[in-house]
Amino acid sequence: MFVPEKCVITQEMHQGGALPAQPKGRDRYRPYAQLIVSITTGISAILGLARGAVEYFVEKAPHKGIAMTVHTSQAAVGHIQYKVGLAAMKVESAHLHISRTIDNLERHVQNAELLSLKEMAQLQTDMTYAAMLCWEAVGLLMAESRGSVIADSNRLSQIFRDIRGGSNHALTTASTGLELYGRVLMGLPPQHVIILGAAAWGRDK
């Protein structure tokens, strides 16, 4: 698909390059290009995979029994119902974190307001925490899916591996994000290079 020039922003500005004194139009997004990429190509895919995993498990559960028991349908078993409910809530909680990130970022961009250091840290941490919630959710379902779930051809296994791989990316690693937020909350400088770059750009304005 052809992407017109008016819909394109460059990414180098997250390292603190100069912008017009009063950024307008698409230029207003340039300081946050890396965060936008993380949302649109990273955490959004992870969230979609996690939702797909819950839907897949729910679809299969009524027709699957539990080995070594009298249960002929996982859907009728209390602890399976609990696990599905918990997994679904983890995915929905991840969605809420991502929605907050998008709303906060868009509000600041539209009002031509710079994000504070704490707000920038929270945005980055929201995405990493959401990624962690997603792979935890799928892990709950994996644990209730028989030994055959480890097969490469198993759809749930494929989803879990993709989510784990995506969650290990530098921009969606929960340990890095949670350290970042904890440092900022305790008055320490951030250790995350994206936040350091965006913060440096803000000091130059």
Side-chain angles (χ1 to χ4, degrees):
M1 177 180 292
F2 173 73
V3 179
E5 178 65 21
K6 67 179 182 179
C7 296
V8 177
I9 59 172
T10 55
Q11 188 175 320
E12 77 277 7
M13 292 304 172
H14 76 275
Q15 296 296 343
L19 280 174
Q22 292 183 329
K24 297 180 180 180
R26 60 181 172 168
D27 281 340
R28 291 180 298 180
Y29 291 90
R30 292 175 74 179
Y32 311 114
Q34 188 62 71
L35 285 172
I36 294 169
V37 170
S38 299
I39 294 169
T40 56
T41 65
I43 190 58
S44 295
I46 292 172
L47 177 62
L49 285 166
R51 282 183 166 169
V54 173
E55 292 172 0
Y56 178 75
F57 189 95
V58 168
E59 176 186 345
K60 298 294 183 181
H63 314 292
K64 290 178 63 175
I66 298 179
M68 304 297 290
T69 76
V70 298
H71 300 304
T72 58
S73 171
Q74 286 184 319
V77 179
H79 80 268
I80 300 292
Q81 296 163 1
Y82 169 81
K83 289 286 186 68
V84 170
L86 181 57
M89 287 305 298
K90 283 179 178 287
V91 175
E92 291 307 311
S93 295
H95 184 199
L96 290 173
H97 278 280
I98 298 167
S99 295
R100 179 173 72 172
T101 292
I102 295 171
D103 289 344
N104 286 345
L105 182 58
E106 186 65 19
R107 184 175 65 254
H108 280 78
V109 168
Q110 293 302 322
N111 294 334
E113 297 174 350
L114 290 176
L115 289 158
S116 68
L117 182 61
K118 179 182 177 182
E119 288 169 330
M120 287 187 289
Q122 187 179 65
L123 260 64
Q124 181 63 40
T125 306
D126 270 343
M127 289 187 287
T128 64
Y129 187 65
M132 184 180 76
L133 288 173
C134 285
W135 64 254
E136 285 179 347
V138 181
L140 290 170
L141 304 179
M142 288 281 288
E144 303 298 339
S145 297
R146 300 180 181 176
S148 60
V149 75
I150 66 172
D152 288 343
S153 59
N154 186 283
R155 187 181 303 176
L156 197 59
S157 179
Q158 293 170 350
I159 291 173
F160 182 75
R161 293 196 303 273
D162 286 344
I163 285 182
R164 252 348 238 128
S167 299
N168 283 348
H169 190 281
L171 293 173
T172 46
T173 300
S175 56
T176 301
L178 292 169
E179 179 190 1
L180 165 66
Y181 200 44
R183 288 178 65 89
V184 170
L185 288 176
M186 291 190 289
L188 299 172
Q191 91 293 8
H192 199 291
V193 294
I194 301 299
I195 306 305
L196 284 168
W201 178 84
R203 287 195 299 269
D204 292 339
K205 292 295 103 186

